[in-house]
Amino acid sequence: MIGQQLRHRLCALTTFFTLTALGSGAMAAQPASEAGRFEVYFAGLKAGEVHFAMTQESGQYAATGEVRSSGLIAAIARFRYRAEARGRVTGETFTPTRYEESLDTGRRQSDKVIAYRGGVPVLEKSEDPEDHWLDPARQGDALDPLTAFYELLRAREGEDLCQLDTAYFDGERRIRLTTAGASRATGRVTCTGRYIREGGFSRKALKEGRQFPFEVTYTPGAGGRWQVSRIDAKTLRGRVLLIRR
């Protein structure tokens, strides 16, 4: 029972934040690389880790990320989610060209591949579609999940914090992420955010909720920029806390 609950909570993490923790401490036009780690907590108990690596160079970007259960939790609730994304970058605008993910919940394994042809997502590998899934051909204005969360979590100048409004398509559903309402204190800035289910969800899922709040906290980083140090989210299965290490 405990293992099932923890597995559900890690699934909630990758549903709420399909894959978090992509952030770069350099401007998009500069060659850059970064690797880092977030620890994941539920009700004060460490349940998993997020690892990431990200590079930008010569107008191209590539990112990898992984969410997995860890410690004693992993012995009773194995969970692993890995994703990769790549694409083009012009100034501050990111255009994905390919997205891949693999999921292992201990009970179910699945893989997904999305290619972008003329900016339009095409499912190259996926589970059998369900009736409520969105048509990929109509999602050309949406990012892939990894690129969207890079937009959410990348290091920023102080004046452009808490101004995000972006949507992503995961091959099934469309989700919008917004941040606003900067709250400033000594050595930190906190944004209020919304995870919004815009389409592709079952009726049951929509009855459970359409919008979910979260907070993103920034602290000073290298080069005078601000980096995400903490995410506090409310999911259907409880509070999720990510802390940068």
Side-chain angles (χ1 to χ4, degrees):
M1 184 65 177
I2 294 175
Q4 182 178 6
Q5 291 177 345
L6 290 169
R7 188 179 292 109
H8 281 324
R9 285 184 169 87
L10 284 170
C11 285
L13 172 64
T14 55
T15 299
F16 188 85
F17 288 121
T18 302
L19 194 359
T20 61
L22 288 176
S24 173
M27 295 294 287
Q30 299 174 326
S33 63
E34 183 183 5
R37 178 173 66 93
F38 280 64
E39 293 182 346
V40 183
Y41 292 87
F42 295 103
L45 178 66
K46 182 180 177 182
E49 296 182 355
V50 174
H51 295 257
F52 72 90
M54 194 275 180
T55 61
Q56 295 180 44
E57 189 170 6
S58 301
Q60 304 291 317
Y61 73 91
T64 63
E66 182 180 48
V67 180
R68 65 170 182 252
S69 53
S70 63
L72 293 176
I73 300 304
I76 58 176
R78 189 180 86 242
F79 182 93
R80 181 175 179 179
Y81 178 99
R82 181 172 176 80
E84 299 180 359
R86 60 179 181 266
R88 300 183 299 274
V89 56
T90 303
E92 298 287 333
T93 300
F94 295 83
T95 304
T97 58
R98 191 170 184 83
Y99 170 79
E100 301 180 14
E101 70 171 43
S102 62
L103 174 68
D104 181 358
T105 69
R107 295 185 175 183
R108 180 175 66 89
Q109 296 180 343
S110 64
D111 297 289
K112 185 182 299 181
V113 177
I114 304 175
Y116 293 79
R117 300 170 186 168
V120 177
V122 177
L123 285 175
E124 292 190 343
K125 187 174 185 179
S126 174
E127 296 180 320
D128 294 336
E130 299 185 23
D131 291 341
H132 56 269
W133 288 13
L134 295 178
D135 180 2
R138 297 179 178 272
Q139 302 303 316
D141 62 332
L143 297 173
D144 67 89
L146 232 55
T147 304
F149 284 102
Y150 171 69
E151 287 279 55
L152 173 66
L153 298 173
R154 65 185 176 89
R156 293 178 176 272
E157 305 294 341
E159 65 271 12
D160 68 344
L161 300 178
C162 308
Q163 298 178 25
L164 181 71
D165 187 350
T166 192
Y168 71 87
F169 175 65
D170 67 0
E172 307 168 19
R173 303 166 290 263
R174 181 185 176 99
I175 294 95
R176 181 169 297 277
L177 299 173
T178 66
T179 61
S183 175
R184 298 179 181 269
T186 303
R188 71 174 185 272
V189 176
T190 300
C191 310
T192 57
R194 293 282 173 182
Y195 166 102
I196 304 168
R197 293 172 164 176
E198 290 197 326
F201 291 85
S202 67
R203 290 183 178 179
K204 179 181 178 181
L206 292 177
K207 286 182 179 179
E208 292 174 336
R210 293 176 179 266
Q211 296 190 25
F212 301 88
F214 63 93
E215 290 186 347
V216 180
T217 299
Y218 291 85
T219 53
R225 310 191 81 199
W226 292 74
Q227 69 176 14
V228 173
S229 60
R230 176 186 174 110
I231 302 170
D232 192 341
K234 293 181 179 179
T235 75
L236 290 170
R237 299 192 179 277
R239 181 186 178 196
V240 180
L241 180 63
L242 291 91
I243 299 177
R244 189 172 194 139
R245 300 302 188 191

